[in-house]
C-alpha cells in the first residue's frame, strides 16, 4: 500500500477519548476527503492557545506570512494577508507543548491505522485581521512534495456567518464552507484540495500545519 493512500485498518487497543477524537477526524476524511471534527481540541486548550496569540501580538512577534518556500517565495504578498508565528517545543510553553503532543498522538494513530508514513510535522499560529484573506491555493509546494496532509485548528469563539473568514474547500465541482469556530479541526490532502479563506470581518485565529513525509 502506498503511503499516499489513506485507508482504515482496524487495530485492537483500549479505546479512550483521544483515539475517539482521532477516529472522528479520520473517518470524516475517509467519507468525504475533508475531515472535520468540531471538538478535536479541548475548550481549555483552545482558550490557552488563543491567549498565546494575544501575547505574541502584544510582544510584536507575529510576522507577515510569505507565499511558497525560500526558493519560490512571493515577497509581494499578493495572495494572503495573515500573520504567523511558528511553533516549537523549545518555546517551553505549556499550551504549545500540549498541542504538539496532541499532534504527535494523532500522527501515531494515523500511521498505526492507515499506514500513512508520516514522520514529521510543522505548525504555526495564524491571525487574519479584519479585511484579510487568502486566495484559492494548494498547500503543497511545486518544488517540494513533503507536505502530505493539511491540518487546521480554529480558536475563535462564537463565530458567526457575518464574521466572514470562512474556509472554502473546493472538491470536484462543489465547494464546502467551514466556519472557523473554536475547537474545530479540518484535515485534507495538501496536494489535492484547493482552498481559500474569505475576507475576515473580525480578527480570526487558528493553528495551521502540515503532516510531512520525507
Amino acid at each position: 500500500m502506498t503511503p499516499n493512500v489513506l485507508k482504515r485498518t482496524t487495530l485492537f487497543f483500549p479505546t479512550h477519548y483521544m483515539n475517539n477524537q482521532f477516529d472522528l477526524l479520520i473517518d470524516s476524511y475517509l467519507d468525504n476527503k475533508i475531515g472535520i471534527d468540531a471538538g478535536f481540541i479541548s475548550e481549555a486548550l483552545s482558550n490557552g492557545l488563543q491567549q498565546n496569540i494575544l501575547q505574541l501580538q502584544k510582544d510584536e512577534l507575529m510576522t507577515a506570512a510569505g507565499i511558497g518556500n525560500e526558493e519560490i517565495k512571493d515577497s509581494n504578498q499578493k495572495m494572503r494577508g495573515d500573520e504567523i508565528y511558528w511553533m516549537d517545543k523549545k518555546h517551553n510553553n505549556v499550551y504549545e507543548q500540549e498541542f504538539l503532543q496532541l499532534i504527535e498522538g494523532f500522527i501515531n494513530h494515523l500511521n498505526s491505522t492507515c499506514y500513512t508514513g508520516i514522520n514529521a510535522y510543522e505548525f504555526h499560529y495564524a491571525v487574519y485581521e479584519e479585511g484579510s484573506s487568502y486566495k484559492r491555493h494548494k498547500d503543497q509546494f511545486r518544488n517540494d512534495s513533503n507536505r502530505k496532509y493539511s491540518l487546521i485548528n480554529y480558536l475563535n469563539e462564537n463565530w458567526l456567518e457575518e464574521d466572514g473568514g470562512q474556509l472554502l474547500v473546493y472538491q470536484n465541482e462543489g465547494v464546502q464552507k467551514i466556519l472557523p469556530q473554536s475547537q474545530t479541526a479540518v484535515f485534507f490532502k495538501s496536494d489535492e484540495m484547493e482552498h481559500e479563506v474569505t475576507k475576515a470581518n473580525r480578527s480570526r485565529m487558528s493553528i495551521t500545519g502540515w503532516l510531512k513525509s520525507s
Side-chain angles (χ1 to χ4, degrees):
M1 183 181 297
T2 62
N4 290 334
V5 178
L6 190 60
K7 294 184 178 180
R8 167 74 72 189
T9 298
T10 302
L11 297 182
F12 296 95
F13 44 71
T15 300
H16 54 81
Y17 173 77
M18 288 322 305
N19 281 347
N20 287 340
Q21 292 305 117
F22 297 160
D23 285 335
L24 280 173
L25 192 59
I26 294 169
D27 290 343
S28 177
Y29 169 87
L30 292 172
D31 287 341
N32 191 40
K33 292 190 175 182
I34 305 170
I36 303 175
D37 181 0
F40 186 75
I41 62 175
S42 69
E43 182 178 1
L45 180 55
S46 180
N47 291 339
L49 293 166
Q50 184 182 111
Q51 292 305 309
N52 281 356
I53 288 179
L54 294 174
Q55 187 62 50
L56 289 167
Q57 290 179 307
K58 182 178 179 181
D59 295 339
E60 299 183 347
L61 293 175
M62 304 287 290
T63 59
I67 306 297
N69 55 18
E70 290 303 317
E71 295 181 20
I72 56 171
K73 202 172 187 67
D74 174 13
S75 59
N76 294 321
Q77 293 297 101
K78 296 177 181 178
M79 285 190 63
R80 64 189 296 184
D82 56 323
E83 293 188 336
I84 68 170
Y85 184 82
W86 289 97
M87 290 183 146
D88 194 321
K89 282 190 171 182
K90 295 178 182 177
H91 295 158
N92 202 31
N93 175 277
V94 60
Y95 296 111
E96 199 164 322
Q97 294 275 10
E98 182 180 348
F99 176 80
L100 293 176
Q101 288 172 5
L102 176 69
I103 295 303
E104 290 173 0
F106 177 68
I107 289 171
N108 288 337
H109 191 67
L110 187 66
N111 285 340
S112 295
T113 59
C114 301
Y115 302 111
T116 50
I118 300 301
N119 56 23
Y121 61 82
E122 56 184 2
F123 282 84
H124 61 64
Y125 301 97
V127 177
Y128 290 81
E129 294 294 2
E130 183 177 350
S132 298
S133 63
Y134 195 162
K135 295 180 181 179
R136 185 169 173 172
H137 67 285
K138 290 183 181 179
D139 281 346
Q140 193 176 91
F141 300 132
R142 293 191 300 273
N143 63 340
D144 184 351
S145 61
N146 287 343
R147 289 180 176 179
K148 303 303 180 184
Y149 297 95
S150 301
L151 179 55
I152 307 165
N153 291 266
Y154 293 115
L155 310 174
N156 311 289
E157 298 177 7
N158 304 314
W159 196 271
L160 303 175
E161 189 80 23
E162 54 263 35
D163 293 327
Q166 293 95 347
L167 177 69
L168 305 184
V169 185
Y170 297 89
Q171 184 176 187
N172 301 323
E173 299 302 317
V175 58
Q176 184 160 352
K177 181 186 295 186
I178 303 166
L179 289 180
Q181 181 64 35
S182 62
Q183 300 181 249
T184 299
V186 183
F187 177 63
F188 52 84
K189 282 290 295 294
S190 299
D191 65 341
E192 289 183 357
M193 294 300 175
E194 289 192 330
H195 55 286
E196 68 176 292
V197 176
T198 64
K199 185 176 72 172
N201 298 321
R202 55 179 270 209
S203 183
R204 175 192 189 274
M205 301 181 184
S206 65
I207 294 175
T208 297
W210 300 274
L211 310 187
K212 304 172 72 175
S213 178
S214 56

